[in-house]
Amino acid sequence: MDFNYSEEQAMLQKMVSNIAKNEFFERAKEIDKSHRFPKENVEIMGVAGLLGVTIDEKYGGGGMDYICYSIVVEELSKICATTGTIMSAHLSLCAKPIQDWGSEELKEKYLPDLATGKTLGAFALSEPGNGSDAAAMRTDAKEDGDYYILNGSKAWITNGAEADVYLVLAQTDRAAKHKGVTAFIVEKGWAGFSFGKPEDKLGIRASSTTQLHFDNCKVSKANILGKVGDGFKVAMTTLDGGRIGMASQALGILRAAFEDSIQYSNVREAFGTKINEFQAIQFKLANMGVDIDAARGLIYMAATAHDEGKPYSKLAAQAKLFASEAAMRHTVEAIQIHGGYGYTTEYNVERYMRDAKITEIYEGTSEIQRIVIAKSLMKEYL
Ligand code: CAA
């Protein structure tokens, strides 16, 4: 279904789908096995303009809307969820908040290289001791003349050691709790900024997930996004946008599982007939098909609200919650359809299941999405 894509959206979808199939498909299995960060994929995405698809043309981006962002993440993730994650964290969690919250000076300094893939971005909110309770961060930033001095550690950072530009959240006033959080832009190579070892993950194995360590790292006040104390809002609004991407990633993985299952069940035979003749299989395929359309509907509702400047926190949470849980459920079913073959790495469905799991965890767990949705509904109805 094409959802009446505009000419631009339809062309983008075709282009990304072709790039993903022709350039990333073969490599997806290899990097999953080796955990090797696919620099060549980043380069290809940079040349094709995918890394800055929603960034203003003024800063070298594509100037496209959030349906386009969703299309890119979905098509990449259908073929290689690791590559979808790299692109999404870079664009929606680093470049976008610089565009939305940065001074003109910061935008001019960072966006042209981020938009074209000359540099890669990352977002650092979670810490070893806090994930869901974002305001409980321990990393602090102490004022020192024209600078802040950062100390602390961040955890599970996508693009970890491979990025060049980092959006880092730190406490500038611990007593003020979430109102004392500030967002800084920090560059790789600055004194006092180092990396932990890459995490050995269940899925999206090649996306380079590491800890970040700050040991008296000096950051200029000019590198603050928004004002001192705006950081929690920067983080929350950034995650609202990112959650549309994670929902799109889950949708891409779900579509891959569905399409593999449709093909396999049409050739595999049991009891003298193709297994897609059995209702047990047909029901699984039907459930997948319905959830693909439902997920896409929720994602495009959220993306449209974003593009129209309307509130979209609840819509993004709904899209992420539904799409990620559907992807998890159906990738397990896809393995069941493939039987013993599905449990081996000869087929891709076991990778889809491992990749799907993280979509229920990062950028806010399913439990956090339910909290966001419930709070919003209570505000709406009470
Ligand atoms: N947009 C704007 N403002 C928002 C907001 C939003 N979406 N959500 C909350 N706020 C504001 C509130 O209005 C409130 O503002 P005031 O003080 O001015 O009234 C303030 O933020 C505090 O709100 P809450 O009291 O609701 O905050 P909380 O501490 O209870 O937390 C939460 C709310 C939704 C649970 C939040 O902590 C949250 O989203 N947690 C999950 C964090 C998360 O997703 N982490 C993933 C990290 S990224 C990642 O996965 C790594 C990677 O590399 C991919």
Side-chain angles (χ1 to χ4, degrees), residues 5-6 100 129 139 169 197 211 217 291-292 340 349 354 381:
Y5 285 147
S6 66
D100 291 349
T139 297
L169 285 307
K197 64 171 176 42
Q211 288 200 359
C217 177
D291 284 355
I292 286 171
V349 283
R354 289 186 287 102
Y381 285 92

Side-chain angles (χ1 to χ4, degrees), residues 85 88-89 93 101 122-127 130-136 155-160 178-179 204 208-209 232-241 243 246 312-314 320 358 361-365 367-369 371-372 375 379:
T85 293
S88 178
L93 301 186
W101 290 88
F123 174 77
L125 173 66
S126 304
E127 300 185 354
N130 75 284
S132 292
D133 186 4
W156 307 298
I157 307 306
T158 303
N159 293 339
H178 70 268
K179 289 187 196 300
I204 55 158
S208 177
T209 305
F232 198 73
K233 283 215 158 58
V234 172
M236 291 298 113
T237 53
T238 297
L239 286 167
D240 284 341
R243 286 167 186 166
M246 291 306 93
Y312 70 99
S313 302
K314 182 190 79 171
K320 180 180 184 288
I358 191 60
I361 298 173
Y362 62 11
E363 301 202 30
T365 60
E367 291 75 13
I368 290 295
Q369 307 313 320
I371 289 171
V372 172
K375 277 188 180 172
K379 227 186 248 172

Side-chain angles (χ1 to χ4, degrees), residues 296-318:
R296 197 189 303 284
L298 288 170
I299 292 166
Y300 288 177
M301 276 172 73
T304 302
H306 170 279
D307 292 338
E308 290 177 350
K310 294 180 179 155
Y312 70 99
S313 302
K314 182 190 79 171
L315 295 172
Q318 287 183 168

Side-chain angles (χ1 to χ4, degrees), residues 175-254:
K177 299 191 174 147
H178 70 268
K179 289 187 196 300
V181 175
T182 300
F184 297 90
I185 296 298
V186 181
E187 292 181 34
K188 178 186 261 165
W190 285 2
F193 177 20
S194 62
F195 307 100
K197 64 171 176 42
E199 302 291 352
D200 186 357
K201 304 184 302 254
L202 177 72
I204 55 158
R205 286 169 140 173
S207 64
S208 177
T209 305
T210 56
Q211 288 200 359
L212 312 181
H213 302 301
F214 300 96
D215 180 12
N216 290 324
C217 177
K218 202 169 160 186
V219 183
S220 163
K221 285 181 176 171
N223 270 35
I224 289 174
L225 289 189
K227 298 189 302 298
V228 172
D230 278 346
F232 198 73
K233 283 215 158 58
V234 172
M236 291 298 113
T237 53
T238 297
L239 286 167
D240 284 341
R243 286 167 186 166
I244 296 176
M246 291 306 93
S248 310
Q249 170 169 61
L251 174 58
I253 297 169
L254 169 50

Side-chain angles (χ1 to χ4, degrees), residues 339-350:
Y341 286 114
Y343 198 64
T344 71
T345 55
E346 186 183 344
Y347 285 77
N348 289 321
V349 283
E350 60 83 32

Side-chain angles (χ1 to χ4, degrees), residues 63-76:
M64 294 184 192
D65 60 22
Y66 244 53
I67 299 270
C68 290
Y69 165 62
S70 162
I71 287 171
V72 175
V73 181
E74 178 187 335
E75 294 302 328
L76 294 173

